[in-house]
Amino acid sequence: MTPTPATPVIDTHVILRDGDRVLLSRRGGLYGYGRWHAPSGKLDAGEPLTVGAARELMEETGVVVDPGQLRLVHVVHHRQGAGSERIGLFFLATTWMGEPVNREPEKCLGLRWWSVHELPEDIIEYPEAGLLGYLRGGDPLTEHGWP
């Protein structure tokens, strides 16, 4: 029997960092309603990773970042359920233009800066794995949700 190739969804997450603060958004959609995560979204077909990350950040927050200024800081291979997996690429942005605003109120309840030393307890587990993986340093890969 020939194994079936994996077909994970590819997500880009942007850790917008200002000194000891990171920007998180509060989910307003069905998945993770009311919980926090970094600005993120799915990569479009044919789109370079950094371009997709910059696009998602701008669509959600209005913040403009040069894709060439994004630095890959962590990868999460996430098992969402039986037969569903995602690869999350977490990029760090420390230089950008604009002030963050909630540009997707139908999907987001709000944006807030959090100290990296006092993060909220209710971060969605998958993006939390990437954020904490970056903040703690060490191994650049987290396998999350696998038995």
Side-chain angles (χ1 to χ4, degrees):
M1 184 167 139
T2 304
T4 303
T7 55
V9 171
I10 299 173
D11 296 318
T12 61
H13 305 253
V14 178
I15 301 168
L16 197 63
R17 186 158 184 176
D18 182 15
D20 280 347
R21 302 182 315 155
V22 292
L23 184 73
L24 297 179
S25 63
R26 195 164 186 205
R27 293 276 309 165
L30 293 177
Y31 173 73
Y33 183 87
R35 298 181 70 195
W36 297 94
H37 69 110
S40 61
K42 296 177 192 78
L43 184 69
D44 290 342
E47 184 176 47
L49 288 167
T50 55
V51 171
R55 174 186 52 77
E56 284 291 346
L57 180 66
M58 192 277 303
E59 287 175 0
E60 293 183 13
T61 69
V63 168
V64 176
V65 65
D66 177 349
Q69 295 294 312
L70 291 172
R71 183 168 60 94
L72 181 64
V73 294
H74 204 77
V75 176
V76 175
H77 188 194
H78 172 67
R79 184 170 184 220
Q80 191 144 339
S84 176
E85 61 185 273
R86 304 174 92 85
I87 295 179
L89 297 123
F90 290 76
F91 293 92
L92 177 65
T94 57
T95 304
W96 63 87
M97 293 183 299
E99 288 297 318
V101 295
N102 183 3
R103 293 191 49 180
E104 295 184 330
E106 70 284 359
K107 297 179 184 178
C108 176
L109 300 174
L111 303 172
R112 180 174 165 191
W113 289 100
W114 292 86
S115 165
V116 296
H117 307 291
E118 295 179 28
L119 294 169
E121 292 182 16
D122 57 346
I123 300 175
I124 299 170
E125 289 83 0
Y126 160 39
E128 179 182 45
L131 177 59
L132 294 180
Y134 153 67
L135 290 173
R136 292 178 181 152
D139 191 342
L141 171 66
T142 298
E143 292 178 331
H144 181 264
W146 294 90

